[in-house]
Amino acid sequence: MKKENSPEKKYNTLIAVISIVIPLAVVALFSIRLKDFGINVTPLHFLPPIYAGINALTAMILILAVNAIKKGNKSLHANLMKTAIGLSILFLLMYIAYHMTTDETKFGGEGAIRYVYFFLLITHIALSVITIPLVLTTYVRALAERFDKHKKIAKYTFPIWLYVAITGVIVYFMIAPYYAA
């Protein structure tokens, strides 16, 4: 049996590596504080509202991108999707920087709201991990002009990525009152 040699095949290993390395790096970095290594840095307390805003902007751009492709505007769709990917990378860098310079914030809500918060947080985190290979695979299929395959996976990528972006904002607003200044 002949092995399929499609243009996106060469990216599968890279996608797998990135999809494993990013979540593992984030988990590892949660236990690292720069101050523990004698590096005197000011905690980056100002970042959470910025990266929550980036999540909100990403959600809006994702919706605009889907509307653009539904209207047949491939160029606008492609540019919006590149912007959404860029914003997601910027979010990740800020998120890591915040957690490497700032002590953990505990959610202080009580009662039913606590269950809502942790449900949203856990689903947000789990789906953010799933979003990485979905976004990368969807993007590579578009680059390879395999639009049939791109469309097939994009119908799953879009709602999951949108959920992650929106719940990121909700989780921020729920925990914001408990941030130390």
Side-chain angles (χ1 to χ4, degrees):
M1 186 160 122
K2 189 177 176 186
K3 203 170 148 183
E4 185 185 335
N5 194 14
S6 64
E8 71 267 18
K9 280 279 186 193
K10 65 181 179 180
Y11 292 104
N12 287 346
T13 302
L14 182 60
I15 290 169
V17 168
I18 291 169
S19 298
I20 293 167
V21 167
I22 289 175
L24 289 178
V26 170
V27 168
L29 292 173
F30 262 106
S31 63
I32 297 172
R33 298 291 180 271
L34 295 177
K35 67 180 180 181
D36 296 340
F37 296 95
I39 301 170
N40 189 16
V41 323
T42 303
L44 303 175
H45 292 293
F46 64 91
L47 284 179
I50 295 171
Y51 60 69
I54 289 172
N55 267 332
L57 186 56
T58 301
M60 290 185 276
I61 287 173
L62 289 172
I63 292 166
L64 290 172
V66 167
N67 286 332
I69 200 64
K70 284 183 178 181
K71 292 179 180 177
N73 193 337
K74 291 180 182 179
S75 176
L76 178 59
H77 172 76
N79 288 331
L80 289 168
M81 293 311 299
K82 289 174 195 170
T83 302
I85 291 169
L87 287 171
S88 293
I89 293 168
L90 184 59
F91 163 84
L92 182 61
L93 294 173
M94 287 183 181
Y95 185 79
I96 290 169
Y98 172 79
H99 284 285
M100 288 183 72
T101 64
T102 311
D103 291 330
E104 182 183 354
T105 300
K106 303 276 188 196
F107 181 71
E110 297 176 0
I113 197 70
R114 188 169 183 78
Y115 295 105
V116 171
Y117 171 79
F118 281 109
F119 173 81
L120 290 173
L121 180 63
I122 290 165
T123 58
H124 169 80
I125 292 168
L127 291 174
S128 70
V129 171
I130 292 168
T131 300
I132 298 167
L134 286 174
V135 168
L136 294 175
T137 301
T138 305
Y139 184 64
V140 165
R141 287 179 178 178
L143 289 177
E145 297 183 0
R146 299 292 302 262
F147 297 114
D148 56 330
K149 288 182 159 193
H150 170 79
K151 186 177 179 180
K152 193 177 276 190
I153 194 170
K155 70 181 179 181
Y156 300 105
T157 304
F158 168 72
I160 295 170
W161 193 0
L162 184 63
Y163 178 86
V164 168
I166 291 170
T167 55
V169 177
I170 295 168
V171 164
Y172 163 73
F173 279 115
M174 291 180 80
I175 199 166
Y178 306 104
Y179 283 123

